[in-house]
Amino acid sequence: MDGPGEVTPEEPTGAITGASSEPTSSPGSGCGQQDTQQRSREDVQHNGSASLVWAATPGMLFQEDRQSSLHPISLSWVLGYNNSLAVHSLMDGKDRVLLYVSSHVVVIHDILGNRQYHLQGHTNAISCLCVSEDRRWVATADRGPDPLIIVWDSFSGVPVRTIFQSHPEDGVSAVAISQDAKYLATIGAGRVQRVCVWKWTLPTEEPVCSTELRPEFGCQDYVIFNPQNHHEFVSNSRTQVIFYLWGDGGLQYGAPLLNNQTFNSVVGRFSQSVFHFNNSQALTGTSAGKLVVWDMVGPCTPSEELQAKPHSVKATKVVLMQKESLTVLTVFESCIVTGDVKGQVKFYDGQLQLLTCYSHSKVGPIRSISFSQTPPDPPSASPASSASSITSSQTFTIRNFILSTSDATVLRVATGTTNFEKVMEEAKKAVSAIACHPRQTLLAVGSHCGLLRVWDYQQTKYLVSRIFPEAGIQCLSYDPEGYFLAAGFTDGSVDILDAISLQSSCKEFRFSHGPITHISFSHDSEYFATADEKYSVTVYKRVLQNGSRCWEHLAGLHSHYKPIRSILFGVQLDSSEPRLLSLGEDRQLVEYDLNSSSKDHLVVLHRDRVEQIAVPLCMAWYPQLSTESFILTANNCYKMKLYNTTTKMCRMTLLGPTYGSPLEKMQILPTTNSVDPQKHYLVYVTKDKVGLQILPVDGNPHKSSAFIGHPDGVSDLASSYDGCYIFTAGGNDCTLMKWEVNLNALDAAASLGGEDLIPFYNLLDGGREGEFFRELEDYFYYAQLCSHGMDTLEARQVSTHIPLEEIPSVMRAMGFYPSEEEVEQMINEVKFSEYVDTGEQVTKISLGDFIKLYINHRPAFGLSMKKINRAFQVLGYDNENGDKVIDRGDLLLLLQRRGEHMTEEELAQCLTTLMGRHPAGEGSEPDTDHPSGAAALSEEEIPEEITAEIFTADILGLPIAEPEKKSRKER
């Protein structure tokens, strides 16, 4: 759910979404000329993006200097890519340009120029892509909520067409573009797969034709057009190949049978399919190293042939090509090309006779093959540019090509040589750990495959790497001086490395029984501490060994009973001694006494419960913006809280960023602002977003901004020592993203949102002029009357304040029902707001301050039926109708004995008020002394079995959404 003030990540500048966008260059086969002429010049001039597309040329993306972004956070660089998708060669001459997918971003990477351009528009991870024959048009699609299909112009970087709601059930699993670049074929990712054909240049959200496939065909995840006839295409799953034919009569398909009994031979799992360049056959590669040959069966006249397809296609033979599994199958000019699990690339002629083979012992399983678009040079040219492989009967020429492998390596093969040039090598497993050097432009990156690298993020190049084969890297941290790098591993071990060479400086520590989740150093490097998945905190103390600095194990403690979310070193207020705290999902904030701790005995100084219902997720030291020192925490209810560092008393509760999921990690952004040293910012990540927050936090949504970072989840966060860059790791998407920070843009956005109370008025239903605000004013002034006494005849003095004791009543009148602990925190927040500065307690609150208090303390998204249903799932039982219910007597006992339990008198008064029981003919006050009483009332008007709907509508008197009403009526 998106909260108030959410900044939605923008589509790339100049996106033409849902509008007519014919290809403006002849796409591939030259068939686009007529379409180009049909597009009027007026339409082009009407949209700046269309003009940019019209004038675009290859390589134009990197010819102009990039302007600084106008957004608070902008993507600057991406490390890693989705190795399950193809890598395409866009240019292979003096410029070597690759196109690949990293999470939800398409990266156009100039390898030699060390530059990147990012195509951003998807909000989910991209699941498939395809590129037109001329390398100009790129189609991408994703899976997840609100999936998109976007067609990009790779020359200009402009998204020329966006198709919404193409496959709303679960997104897209495969996409292909026709040879003439006019049509797209897509296959949905739902349980029942829907196959669609789109003429993407038309301004319509409906496909030209579509059909649904039977689930027994398996998940069709590969599709390709017939290059010689865009009315035909083929797809395959691991077990079934399907041929399609579309036209005015719709989309029809045939699914020919093929199994091990068909030819009494093991077929294997299907990988990829292609149409033979002779236009009469199709081929499918298998995991058994075989090619299935598909052909028309039965005599057909030319006019009947088109109608007979695809139902007349059958497997005519299965050809054993090799022992190794075939992973890639493609057609290049007059050759059939295969790639396999051994890293071999083989070229065959039309009769499947081997022409040549490229192989290397260190190349992993081939994932994709992409040939250079540049034609080979004439024979007199340098042999490095072209090569001839001679068979017994012919000579053929091969262009340079790009290989991508399943172990996240990209290689370039120059066909004039046998060299496999390594272009990129990235992490092949989850990237879960990053750490910034405290004084240099260096970033340490660790992954679950054991690969540790140090990257210079200013020069955008790797400097040094090391592989740990025994375990994956889970977390990293530099010491404050930047001399050492601590690494925590998935097997519970910890290694202290030299920050330059990455060689071990101490012996490996093995004192944790679970994967290390956090590592932190004290400010003086005297200590470092770790937290692990077994809810333990382990502390290490610095010692001298043979004249060199090292650390040894001090003690460990099983200090939490739920996952530890953060460990934090600080400095004592009255000395320079370090202090250590840990925060867990058990709602415990634990402070350790390092001075009193001894070998194998870690002493706990304080243990404080910081939440009543919410779960704390992260914490940070709050900058010294006042005379009082605070610890800042964020919880899963979108609230941020300030706790006094000494007393651990909650001093303030504030509405945090509400961008679909709560804050998972946060850091104070380092600043080099000498103009205003009191200006501070917070950088944070949610489940899938990265954001910035202006400090001090006050609940103003305009002081925060967030952008989608990793749709499948952010695993770690780091910021550069000067605060100019933010880095996020994407975990299982195997990527790391570098974000450029523009604080002026965030300040400008906050200013545009209004000052003082204006942002808070906008968070009220109807705003400053709405009925809700007028009702709030009425309750506020009614509370004044109550505080003065309702029956007095003396002249009243109208005030703009109410006593603090009236805060709970007005809050409840406005629909927010705080617990007793929340009431105490609200009153203390106001009462002691000026105590540190003046030594006096505040006894009243103004309307403006009350609005802020209400906005910051009320639930971020109100009370939902989902929460009430969840409570009934836990507390209730299934009745004979299958409904979750709570027994009336059990409910009354729970209210009196659990949580902030109520007395019998309080419960009677509450029920009498809620059920609206009044003495006959008298006033509006509930009758708590009526003979029927609360007990009789509960028996008379509360059913013996209470459902969530009865509790909400009949007892609490709250409205229920329409879907809930319908289900209630049905029951």
Side-chain angles (χ1 to χ4, degrees):
M1 182 182 294
D2 294 338
E6 172 159 354
V7 181
T8 304
E10 78 293 351
E11 281 203 341
T13 304
I16 309 173
T17 56
S20 176
S21 302
E22 294 285 338
T24 55
S25 71
S26 177
S29 63
C31 299
Q33 184 175 0
Q34 183 177 354
D35 294 323
T36 303
Q37 292 171 350
Q38 291 174 354
R39 186 187 182 104
S40 66
R41 294 281 180 177
E42 290 77 13
D43 289 340
V44 176
Q45 294 171 355
H46 178 71
N47 192 297
S49 299
S51 300
L52 185 61
V53 172
W54 190 276
T57 57
M60 187 183 78
L61 285 179
F62 302 108
Q63 291 175 1
E64 299 178 1
D65 293 333
R66 296 182 62 181
Q67 299 178 350
S68 59
S69 173
L70 299 179
H71 302 287
I73 303 174
S74 57
L75 186 60
S76 174
W77 198 270
V78 180
L79 289 178
Y81 71 99
N82 186 342
N83 59 26
S84 66
L85 299 180
V87 175
H88 293 274
S89 172
L90 296 186
M91 302 176 69
D92 193 64
K94 61 180 180 180
D95 297 316
R96 294 183 192 170
V97 180
L98 302 182
L99 180 142
Y100 51 85
V101 168
S102 297
S103 187
H104 66 302
V105 178
V106 181
V107 181
I108 300 178
H109 191 171
D110 179 359
I111 300 296
L112 299 180
N114 198 25
R115 297 170 294 184
Q116 286 186 353
Y117 190 91
H118 307 114
L119 307 182
Q120 300 178 76
H122 289 276
T123 57
N124 304 307
I126 295 172
S127 57
C128 50
L129 82 159
C130 60
V131 178
S132 65
E133 183 68 20
D134 65 355
R135 310 295 201 275
R136 176 156 197 182
W137 311 106
V138 180
T140 56
D142 63 60
R143 298 181 62 174
D146 302 319
L148 299 177
I149 300 172
I150 304 180
V151 180
W152 311 82
D153 173 22
S154 70
F155 291 0
S156 62
V158 170
V160 295
R161 182 74 166 94
T162 301
I163 302 174
F164 301 91
Q165 296 298 316
S166 58
H167 297 271
E169 59 280 355
D170 197 23
V172 185
S173 66
V175 64
I177 190 167
S178 61
Q179 183 81 1
D180 59 8
K182 290 184 182 180
Y183 299 96
L184 294 177
T186 60
I187 302 179
R191 190 185 70 85
V192 177
Q193 290 185 285
R194 182 167 171 253
V195 182
C196 299
V197 176
W198 310 81
K199 187 171 184 181
W200 64 268
T201 56
L202 294 180
T204 176
E205 295 295 310
E206 296 298 323
V208 176
C209 53
S210 65
T211 189
E212 290 186 347
L213 303 178
R214 299 201 301 269
E216 54 263 34
F217 291 155
C219 179
Q220 300 285 313
D221 57 5
Y222 185 80
V223 63
I224 189 170
F225 274 96
N226 185 344
Q228 302 177 59
N229 180 5
H230 61 237
H231 288 280
E232 292 183 63
F233 58 96
V234 61
S235 73
N236 67 261
S237 64
R238 302 297 81 135
T239 58
Q240 180 68 60
V241 179
I242 302 178
F243 293 88
Y244 305 84
L245 179 68
W246 67 275
D248 296 337
L251 176 60
Q252 53 181 306
Y253 67 87
L257 176 67
L258 175 62
N259 53 39
N260 294 341
Q261 288 73 43
T262 306
F263 297 103
N264 293 320
S265 172
V266 175
V267 177
R269 299 285 181 175
F270 300 136
S271 56
Q272 293 182 357
S273 302
V274 293
F275 286 92
H276 199 293
F277 48 80
N278 63 17
N279 199 31
S280 62
Q281 294 177 320
L283 306 171
T284 300
T286 79
S287 59
K290 299 177 180 180
L291 282 183
V292 180
V293 180
W294 308 92
D295 209 340
M296 291 279 294
V297 177
C300 288
T301 65
S303 61
E304 293 175 334
E305 182 176 342
L306 196 61
Q307 296 178 354
K309 288 182 179 181
H311 302 288
S312 61
V313 176
K314 291 186 178 180
T316 56
K317 57 182 175 180
V318 176
V319 182
L320 178 63
M321 309 302 293
Q322 59 185 52
K323 293 181 180 180
E324 296 82 11
S325 174
L326 298 178
T327 56
V328 175
L329 178 63
T330 186
V331 170
F332 170 70
E333 294 181 348
S334 59
C335 297
I336 295 164
V337 186
T338 65
D340 60 35
V341 293
K342 292 289 188 179
Q344 302 175 104
V345 179
K346 296 181 180 180
F347 291 77
Y348 298 90
D349 63 13
Q351 285 72 46
L352 301 184
Q353 299 299 309
L354 181 65
L355 299 175
T356 189
C357 174
Y358 290 85
S359 64
H360 193 284
S361 59
K362 295 185 178 180
V363 177
I366 304 296
R367 183 70 71 182
S368 69
I369 303 172
S370 179
F371 289 92
S372 166
Q373 190 189 2
T374 307
D377 294 329
S380 59
S382 167
S385 303
S386 62
S388 297
S389 301
I390 302 175
T391 66
S392 59
S393 60
Q394 62 176 337
T395 300
F396 72 101
T397 304
I398 305 174
R399 299 178 186 177
N400 300 337
F401 56 92
I402 292 291
L403 298 178
S404 70
T405 68
S406 58
D407 57 4
T409 304
V410 178
L411 305 107
R412 177 178 180 269
V413 180
T415 54
T417 67
T418 57
N419 293 335
F420 280 61
E421 177 189 352
K422 190 176 292 184
V423 176
M424 291 189 339
E425 184 178 18
E426 301 294 344
K428 56 187 175 184
K429 290 186 180 179
V431 177
S432 56
I434 53 176
C436 273
H437 194 282
R439 296 183 178 181
Q440 300 178 39
T441 60
L442 303 178
L443 179 76
V445 185
S447 77
H448 279 187
C449 63
L451 177 63
L452 173 62
R453 282 178 158 183
V454 176
W455 185 57
D456 186 328
Y457 55 80
Q458 202 69 51
Q459 303 295 325
T460 61
K461 63 180 181 180
Y462 288 114
L463 300 181
V464 63
S465 65
R466 179 180 174 184
I467 293 180
F468 297 85
E470 296 84 9
I473 300 169
Q474 186 77 11
C475 54
L476 294 167
S477 178
Y478 280 98
D479 78 303
E481 299 295 323
Y483 297 141
F484 299 96
L485 176 65
F489 295 87
T490 53
D491 64 354
S493 62
V494 178
D495 211 343
I496 304 297
L497 312 172
D498 180 86
I500 298 176
S501 66
L502 299 186
Q503 297 304 308
S504 299
S505 297
C506 304
K507 65 177 182 179
E508 184 183 70
F509 299 111
R510 287 186 174 271
F511 293 94
S512 296
H513 299 289
I516 306 297
T517 57
H518 300 81
I519 294 184
S520 182
F521 281 89
S522 63
H523 71 286
D524 55 2
S525 297
E526 189 69 22
Y527 299 91
F528 81 86
T530 67
D532 59 50
E533 288 187 4
K534 298 297 183 180
Y535 320 144
S536 296
V537 172
T538 308
V539 179
Y540 301 83
K541 185 177 176 62
R542 186 171 63 182
V543 294
L544 285 177
Q545 289 183 353
N546 301 323
S548 62
R549 183 168 56 173
C550 196
W551 287 264
E552 69 175 10
H553 174 258
L554 177 63
L557 183 67
H558 191 87
S559 50
H560 294 269
Y561 63 90
K562 285 189 177 181
I564 298 172
R565 298 300 306 220
S566 185
I567 58 173
L568 204 60
F569 273 101
V571 183
Q572 300 287 353
L573 295 177
D574 54 355
S575 69
S576 60
E577 291 295 315
R579 58 190 299 195
L580 174 64
L581 300 95
S582 65
L583 180 68
E585 289 184 12
D586 54 6
R587 304 180 180 91
Q588 297 292 315
L589 177 62
V590 181
E591 182 167 4
Y592 305 88
D593 189 343
L594 297 177
N595 286 332
S596 301
S597 298
S598 57
K599 184 66 175 175
D600 296 328
H601 181 61
L602 185 58
V603 179
V604 172
L605 185 62
H606 297 290
R607 187 184 293 271
D608 299 277
R609 180 174 61 84
V610 294
E611 295 284 358
Q612 184 181 29
I613 299 174
V615 177
L617 299 179
C618 52
M619 68 174 174
W621 292 107
Y622 200 63
Q624 197 74 34
L625 302 177
S626 64
T627 52
E628 193 172 2
S629 298
F630 297 110
I631 298 170
L632 176 68
T633 69
N635 64 33
N636 67 337
C637 293
Y638 298 86
K639 301 297 183 181
M640 304 178 82
K641 293 188 176 183
L642 292 177
Y643 293 89
N644 183 284
T645 56
T646 303
T647 65
K648 308 301 192 306
M649 176 182 177
C650 180
R651 291 285 293 104
M652 197 171 291
T653 299
L654 302 148
L655 177 65
T658 51
Y659 295 105
S661 57
L663 272 59
E664 299 279 344
K665 295 176 183 286
M666 61 184 177
Q667 297 177 3
I668 303 302
L669 187 71
T671 178
T672 56
N673 190 343
S674 58
V675 179
D676 187 0
Q678 284 296 97
K679 214 164 190 178
H680 293 276
Y681 300 84
L682 179 79
V683 55
Y684 61 85
V685 292
T686 66
K687 178 183 177 182
D688 59 350
K689 297 178 180 69
V690 55
L692 279 175
Q693 167 81 45
I694 299 175
L695 299 180
V697 182
D698 59 5
N700 180 355
H702 300 290
K703 294 173 68 173
S704 179
S705 179
F707 295 85
I708 294 178
H710 303 268
D712 291 336
V714 182
S715 63
D716 206 359
L717 167 72
S719 52
S720 63
Y721 71 93
D722 56 2
C724 292
Y725 298 101
I726 299 169
F727 303 91
T728 56
N732 290 329
D733 70 13
C734 300
T735 64
L736 177 140
M737 296 189 180
K738 169 188 170 185
W739 306 84
E740 190 171 351
V741 174
N742 185 349
L743 299 178
N744 292 331
L746 182 60
D747 292 337
S751 298
L752 292 172
E755 298 180 349
D756 299 326
L757 286 171
I758 293 176
F760 297 93
Y761 289 143
N762 294 334
L763 294 179
L764 297 175
D765 188 19
R768 176 68 175 80
E769 306 300 325
E771 182 180 344
F772 187 88
F773 179 79
R774 291 195 298 271
E775 188 178 351
L776 173 57
E777 280 186 315
D778 291 341
Y779 285 129
F780 194 81
Y781 293 122
Y782 178 74
Q784 284 188 15
L785 296 177
C786 292
S787 66
H788 293 156
M790 297 295 293
D791 300 327
T792 181
L793 298 178
E794 297 178 4
R796 301 178 185 274
Q797 184 176 0
V798 179
S799 170
T800 58
H801 295 75
I802 61 172
L804 299 188
E805 295 77 18
E806 297 294 336
I807 288 178
S809 300
V810 182
M811 289 286 181
R812 290 171 182 136
M814 298 310 298
F816 167 40
Y817 307 98
S819 65
E820 294 302 316
E821 183 173 313
E822 289 173 323
V823 167
E824 182 181 357
Q825 288 182 354
M826 283 191 292
I827 292 176
N828 287 338
E829 181 176 321
V830 181
K831 181 187 294 185
F832 297 107
S833 58
E834 300 175 4
Y835 187 80
V836 174
D837 297 322
T838 65
E840 298 180 357
Q841 296 182 4
V842 177
T843 59
K844 55 187 179 180
I845 186 172
S846 66
L847 178 60
D849 289 338
F850 180 88
I851 290 173
K852 289 183 179 180
L853 193 70
Y854 170 75
I855 293 294
N856 283 317
H857 280 265
R858 69 175 181 179
F861 303 112
L863 181 65
S864 67
M865 256 328 274
K866 186 184 293 185
K867 287 186 178 180
I868 297 176
N869 283 325
R870 192 181 304 131
F872 272 72
Q873 290 287 333
V874 174
L875 300 174
Y877 61 89
D878 293 322
N879 65 5
E880 57 185 15
N881 297 325
D883 298 326
K884 279 289 182 184
V885 297
I886 299 178
D887 180 79
R888 179 181 59 207
D890 291 343
L891 177 62
L892 297 178
L893 286 175
L894 285 169
L895 292 172
Q896 294 178 74
R897 296 180 180 178
R898 296 293 182 92
E900 292 182 346
H901 52 267
M902 307 170 72
T903 65
E904 188 173 355
E905 182 181 355
E906 289 172 335
L907 180 58
Q909 185 174 2
C910 258
L911 288 175
T912 305
T913 304
L914 285 170
M915 303 304 288
R917 198 62 176 266
H918 307 286
E922 295 184 20
S924 60
E925 293 296 324
D927 179 23
T928 55
D929 298 322
H930 194 266
S932 61
L937 175 68
S938 65
E939 290 183 6
E940 290 176 10
E941 302 197 15
I942 300 178
E944 188 173 345
E945 290 185 340
I946 306 169
T947 65
E949 292 77 18
I950 291 174
F951 180 75
T952 304
D954 299 343
I955 298 178
L956 297 182
L958 298 177
I960 299 180
E962 289 300 322
E964 296 288 347
K965 285 183 180 178
K966 290 180 181 177
S967 62
R968 189 182 176 201
K969 287 179 181 178
E970 290 172 1
R971 286 197 290 269

